[in-house]
Amino acid sequence: MTENYSAILYLVSSVCFIMALRGLSSPDTSRQGNFYGIAGIVIAIGTTLALPSVLSYEVIIAGIVIGGAIGTFIARKIEMTALPQLVAAFHSLVGLAACFVAAAAFYRPEAYGIGQFLAIYPASLVEMTLGLAIGAVTFTGSIIAFGKLQGLITGAPLVFKGQHALNAVLGILLVALIAWTVSDQTQLGFWLILILSLVIGVLIIVPIGGADMPVVISMLNSYSGWAACGIGFTLGNSLLIVTGALVGSSGAILSYIMCKGMNRSFFSVILGGFGGETDGAAAQTQGDKSIKSGSAEDAAFIMENASSVIIVPGYGMAVAQAQHALREMCDILKARGVTVRYAIHPVAGRMPGHMNVLLAEANVPYEQVLELEEINRDFNQTDVAFVIGANDVTNPAAKTDPNSPIYGMPILDVENAQTVLFVKRSMASGYAGVDNELFFRDNTMMLFADAKKMCEEIVQALN
C-alpha cells in the first residue's frame, strides 16, 4: 500500500516539474513555474522521507538544514551578474552527488535490491557505471566552467596539438572500462571509470572559449540531468528517472537553441576553440578608421528628440549592474512620448535568459522585451538603437566577412537604425576576439564609460 501511495505522489511531483518547465518558458508565467517547481520538490522530499526504507532521519535532517542554510545564504548574497557561474557550480554538485550514489550502490548493492557486492545485476551495473561516468564529467566540467566564468581561469580557449585525438582515445577507453567493469565486476574498473571521467570533464571544457559559454551552461545542465536519470535507474526511483530525463532533454533542447542562435553546430562547440577574453589594447586594430564619440548630454539630446528607441543589452550591462539606471532612463523617455523597447539576442550575456532575468529584476514590463526574430525587422524604422554592453551580437561582420569567426551568426541589425549609441568601456573586442565594424559606421556614436554611470549621467541630462 505504501508503494502505491508513493508512486501516486511521485507522479504528482513529476507533473509539477513538467508544469514548472512550461511556466519557466515564458517571463509572464515564470513565477508560477517556480511555484510549481517548489511544490514538486516539497512533495518529492516528503514522500521519500516517508518511505519505510529510510532509517537515518538525523543525518538526513542535518543535511537538509545545512544545505538549506547554505542555499539561503547564497541566494540572498549572490549578484545577478554571478548567476551563470552559480548555475555552473550547482551543476557540479549534481554530478558529484551522482558519483557518491554510484559508489554507495556499488559497495552496498543489497541496500538497493540490485544484488550483492561484486555480484550486482548486469543491467544495474550498466546504469550505475553510466551514471558514474556522466556525473564525473559533469562535476569537473562544471568546475572548469565556473572557473572560466568567475575569471579564475582564462576565458580564452586552451587548445593543444592532438587534443581531439586524445579525447577520442579517452572516450573509447572509457567505453571499454565500462564494458570490463560490467563483465568482471572489478573494483579497479569502477575507480578507473571515475578517474578517467574526471579527466575527460576537464579536457572537453578547457578548449571552449568565452563566446560559447552560454551553450556550455545549458550543455552541463543536460549532463547533470542524464547523470541523475542514470542513478534513478540504479535506485529504482521513478521520480529521479523522470526528473533527470526532463532536465537532460530540456538542457539538450536549450543547447540546440543556443547553437542555432550562434549558427554553430553542437559538435563545433564541443570541439571548442572559439572566442575568449582579449586584451583591450591588443584589440584596437582599427588602423586609420575613425570613430565618433559623444557624451551623456549628446545621448540625452538625441534620444529625447527621437520617436522610437530600441535598447540592446549585453553582458556589459550585467557587469555594471546598470539595469535599474537603464530602466529609470527609459521611464523618463517614455514619459516624454518616446516609444521604448528592448531587443534580446538568444546568446546575450553568459547564460540563456541572462538579460531577461536582469531586466525583470529592474521591473521592466515583459511586453517591452522582445526576442531577435520579433524585433529585428523594426530597426529600419527606429530612430535610435541604444547598445549597452553588447558586442558580438551586433557585429555586422557576421553578415559581411566570410573570414570572421562569427560569420553566419544571426545578429541584431542595429546598424539599420538611424542612429546607434554604443555604450562601452573601451574599443576592446567581445568574446569572439574580433573587432566590431559597427564602431566605425557613420551613424554610430561611441559612449565610452561604465554602463551604469553613463545611464545615470543621461538621466541627469534628461532632467
Side-chain angles (χ1 to χ4, degrees):
M1 184 64 70
T2 303
E3 291 182 358
N4 292 336
Y5 283 133
S6 63
I8 292 173
L9 289 172
Y10 278 158
L11 179 61
V12 172
S13 180
S14 300
V15 172
C16 286
F17 291 144
I18 294 172
M19 296 299 293
L21 282 176
R22 180 183 179 185
L24 292 171
S25 65
S26 169
D28 294 325
T29 57
S30 59
R31 288 182 181 273
Q32 187 180 34
N34 272 321
F35 286 129
Y36 274 121
I38 293 170
I41 198 63
V42 168
I43 294 172
I45 293 174
T47 303
T48 302
L49 291 177
L51 293 175
S53 57
V54 176
L55 302 176
S56 304
Y57 282 102
E58 298 84 0
V59 176
I60 294 173
I61 292 174
I64 291 175
V65 171
I66 295 172
I70 294 173
T72 301
F73 176 80
I74 293 174
R76 293 179 66 87
K77 294 294 184 180
I78 195 72
E79 297 288 347
M80 281 296 177
T81 50
L83 204 57
Q85 46 265 54
L86 176 66
V87 172
F90 282 170
H91 286 161
S92 73
L93 297 180
V94 177
L96 186 61
C99 294
F100 281 141
V101 173
F106 184 78
Y107 283 96
R108 290 291 302 275
E110 62 276 3
Y112 300 92
I114 57 176
Q116 300 296 319
F117 180 54
L118 300 182
I120 301 172
Y121 303 143
S124 297
L125 200 54
V126 171
E127 298 156 1
M128 184 192 308
T129 51
L130 286 175
L132 173 69
I134 300 173
V137 169
T138 304
F139 174 65
T140 51
S142 298
I143 293 296
I144 297 300
F146 170 82
K148 282 177 171 282
L149 291 168
Q150 188 67 20
L152 303 176
I153 304 173
T154 177
L158 300 176
V159 295
F160 54 86
K161 187 177 182 180
Q163 186 174 45
H164 300 325
L166 175 62
N167 289 342
V169 170
L170 293 180
I172 294 171
L173 180 58
L174 179 61
V175 173
L177 283 173
I178 291 175
W180 177 45
T181 304
V182 171
S183 62
D184 292 359
Q185 304 219 8
T186 167
Q187 297 183 61
L188 177 61
F190 182 88
W191 291 109
L192 285 177
I193 290 172
L194 175 63
I195 294 171
L196 185 58
S197 299
L198 291 173
V199 172
I200 291 174
V202 174
L203 291 177
I204 65 173
I205 301 300
V206 292
I208 299 178
D212 283 330
M213 288 315 293
V215 182
V216 172
I217 294 296
S218 58
M219 180 183 71
L220 291 170
N221 177 58
S222 180
Y223 288 174
S224 67
W226 296 124
C229 184
I231 294 303
F233 279 105
T234 300
L235 302 179
N237 188 303
S238 58
L239 179 63
L240 200 54
I241 295 170
V242 172
T243 305
L246 283 173
V247 174
S249 56
S250 61
I253 293 170
L254 189 57
S255 297
Y256 169 77
I257 293 173
M258 293 296 103
C259 288
K260 185 178 179 182
M262 300 171 67
N263 194 36
R264 284 167 58 72
S265 70
F266 182 75
F267 290 107
S268 68
V269 173
I270 297 302
L271 294 176
F274 173 49
E277 295 169 356
T278 58
D279 178 74
Q284 297 185 39
T285 58
Q286 63 266 31
D288 59 354
K289 296 180 182 178
S290 61
I291 61 170
K292 290 187 297 184
S293 62
S295 64
E297 290 74 17
D298 297 327
F301 177 80
I302 292 172
M303 286 194 288
E304 70 179 343
N305 286 284
S307 61
S308 60
V309 174
I310 295 180
I311 310 294
V312 180
Y315 188 66
M317 182 192 77
V319 172
Q321 286 285 285
Q323 61 269 27
H324 296 284
L326 176 66
R327 191 216 63 203
E328 183 181 0
M329 180 191 83
C330 293
D331 286 345
I332 295 173
L333 292 174
K334 287 187 287 185
R336 298 184 181 179
V338 181
T339 301
V340 179
R341 292 176 296 169
Y342 298 77
I344 307 296
H345 193 281
V347 294
R350 290 188 173 181
M351 175 183 170
H354 197 183
M355 296 301 103
N356 302 75
V357 172
L358 291 173
L359 294 177
E361 182 195 21
N363 295 317
V364 173
Y366 296 139
E367 62 272 12
Q368 295 177 12
V369 182
L370 303 173
E371 301 296 330
L372 178 146
E373 62 273 8
E374 298 175 299
I375 199 170
N376 226 15
R377 65 173 66 93
D378 295 346
F379 282 105
N380 283 316
Q381 291 82 42
T382 299
D383 294 323
V384 179
F386 187 82
V387 184
I388 176 169
N391 198 334
D392 294 326
V393 297
T394 65
N395 194 340
K399 298 184 296 182
T400 61
D401 184 3
N403 296 319
S404 173
I406 63 172
Y407 182 71
M409 182 179 83
I411 63 166
L412 290 162
D413 296 329
V414 297
E415 77 273 15
N416 293 334
Q418 184 174 336
T419 301
V420 178
L421 300 176
F422 211 116
V423 182
K424 208 171 184 297
R425 288 178 179 270
S426 69
M427 292 291 290
S429 61
Y431 293 144
V434 294
D435 289 332
N436 193 337
E437 295 180 4
L438 187 61
F439 298 167
F440 315 108
R441 296 290 178 94
D442 292 336
N443 61 332
T444 299
M445 176 182 289
M446 302 298 297
L447 305 173
F448 293 113
D450 172 83
K452 182 179 180 181
K453 182 179 179 181
M454 176 56 67
C455 288
E456 290 173 343
E457 291 178 353
I458 292 175
V459 168
Q460 292 176 1
L462 289 171
N463 288 327

